[in-house]
Each structure stands twice: as structure tokens, then as C-alpha cells.
Amino acid sequence: KISDALGDHGAESGEDDMDMDAVPDEDMASLDRKLVEAFRAIGGRKDRLAKKKEAMAALAEMHFKLRVLDLVELYLTNKPSVELVCTIVPALIESLDRAVRSGADAVLVARLVAVLGRVAGLSGKLGKEEASGARVVEVLTGVLGLATSGSVVVSTLSKVYPRLATSLLRLGEAAGQEEQLVSLYLASLKDFLHTPTCVLPNDIFSLALAHSWPGCWSLATLLATEALSPTVRQFRRVAALSLLFGLLGNKRLLAEHPDKMAELVQRLVPTLTAELGRIVEGDF
């Protein structure tokens, strides 16, 4: 850049120092401007015009992303296919993670959360697509895995997160993937109880325990047998008891599955009495 700024005068000087007195005034004025630009480029400093252009480009990019999200949300409101929903969800989560970590505009973060919230309301509106069942389980595994790794996405999504997981759970049930879903939720519950880095919210399991499916009773059995184990941290024991309390208070499930409820109570009572005995012995 400096060589270009010197132009013909630089070529004339060769290896000797340039005689600046020999440079005409009009060339000197042009040379000064070009040298300022050259050294500014070397130093990485930007003038006001360059900064304004960058700001305008960033604003245009932000508007483009928001328009894309508008189109995605429009698609989601018009009976989307389960296969495409399973493509959209990981892409949105990846974009949200990148936006939060880079300190992106709060408007973009809020729109990403809102569109994922739209996905969370789809489960009852889509038909069965057996071919997409395995893909739904794969996406749900990734969503639940965010909490196991302590991802910032979980706290950013807040209440949308458990609703999103439950929506995928319902889509997987409709696609005949109940066995795989039971295994996935049981593994997640064990992480919830025993893994210190797991930040799964209680609502993930309370929503899964609120309707009748094979996983409901498998989760309840695991809670009844392991939740009060001395190896489980105390705040997780409290959360587990709250989950069981909610399940036992579900009048619809009690009316539809009295035998399952009775079996759960039989498993739970010995655990509760043993825990009460341990507390009494510790206090007195």
C-alpha cells in the first residue's frame, strides 16, 4: 500500500532516499492522503465512514436473519412435515447457542426462542409419520443432552425447553418409538438424580409423568426406588418427591390406571418409611 501511494516517485528513488523537496506540491498533497490511508490499514484503525459501513452491514445481516425466522415460523404454522421439523429444531438450537455466546442482539435471541416455542406447540397438530420416528428420537436425544452438558441454551430457553422436549416426546410416541423413548427418559432421569453437571429442569419429567404412556410408569418406578437413596443430593430428593406427589395427585391417571397407581404406592411406601426412620434416628 505504501509503494502504491508513492507511485512514480517511489520508482524514481530506487535504493536512495527520496528527495521530498523535488516532489510537486499537488503530488505531495495526494501522497499525504494515500500514506494516511496506508498506515491506517496497517494499524487496523477504521475511520468513521468504515465504521458506519460495518454497522450498516451488521444491521442488514440482522434484518435478514429476522426475515428468515419469519419464514420459518410461517412454515411451522402451516402443517409442517415431521421430517422437516427435525431438521429445523437442531438448526435453531445451534443458531441460538451461537447468538448467545457471541453476545448477539437481544431481539435475535428473543425471536429464536419464540420460533422454538412455536415448535413446542406442534405435537397435537401433526399426523403420524412412522418413517421420521428414529429422527425424532435422535433430535430429542440432542435436546436432552444440552442439559447434561450444562449448555447455556437451557437457561436461555427457560420454560420453552421442557415444552419443546415434551412436544418431541409426543411426536416420537405417535411414530411408534415408545421403547426408545422410555430408554432415553430413564437415562435422563438417572443423570438428573446422580450427575452433578446435569441441569435438567423438573418440568421435563413432570410433563412426561402427566400423561399415560409406558415411560410414565417406568419413570415413576425409578423415582420410587432410587429417589431417596443416600447417594442422591438432597435438593434432587426434594424434586423427586415433588414429581411423585404430582403423579399421585393426577386424578385422571388414577381413574384410568388404578392398578398402576396401587403398584407404585406399594413400591413407594417402604422407601418413604425407611427415609423417615433414618431422619428420626438422626435427629434423636
Side-chain angles (χ1 to χ4, degrees), residues 144 147-148 161-163 165-166 169 181-194 198-211 213 215-220 222-223 236 239-240 242-244 246-247 250 253:
L144 295 177
T148 305
Y161 179 74
R163 290 177 46 233
T166 304
L169 169 62
L181 292 168
V182 171
S183 299
L184 174 59
Y185 263 78
L186 285 174
S188 297
L189 181 56
K190 289 181 180 179
D191 284 336
F192 176 80
L193 294 174
H194 301 289
C198 180
V199 293
L200 279 169
N202 297 359
D203 287 348
I204 286 285
F205 301 106
S206 64
L207 292 173
L209 291 166
H211 69 284
W213 64 293
C216 172
W217 309 110
S218 297
L219 291 172
L222 181 61
L223 285 170
R236 288 301 194 199
S242 297
L243 292 171
L244 288 168
L247 175 61
N250 190 322
L253 286 179

Side-chain angles (χ1 to χ4, degrees), residues 211-212 217 250-261:
H211 69 284
S212 180
W217 309 110
N250 190 322
K251 295 181 180 179
R252 182 173 58 82
L253 286 179
L254 179 60
E256 294 176 357
H257 303 278
D259 54 336
K260 295 282 189 181
M261 285 291 194

Side-chain angles (χ1 to χ4, degrees), residues 260-283:
K260 295 282 189 181
M261 285 291 194
E263 183 180 345
L264 174 62
V265 169
Q266 289 176 2
R267 290 177 178 274
L268 182 58
V269 168
T271 306
L272 288 174
T273 53
E275 180 67 10
L276 286 172
R278 188 187 66 79
I279 293 172
V280 169
E281 288 178 4
D283 287 345

Side-chain angles (χ1 to χ4, degrees), residues 6-14 18 22-24 27 31:
L6 293 173
D8 295 338
H9 299 291
E12 292 171 359
S13 65
M18 181 189 296
V23 180
D27 287 357
L31 179 61

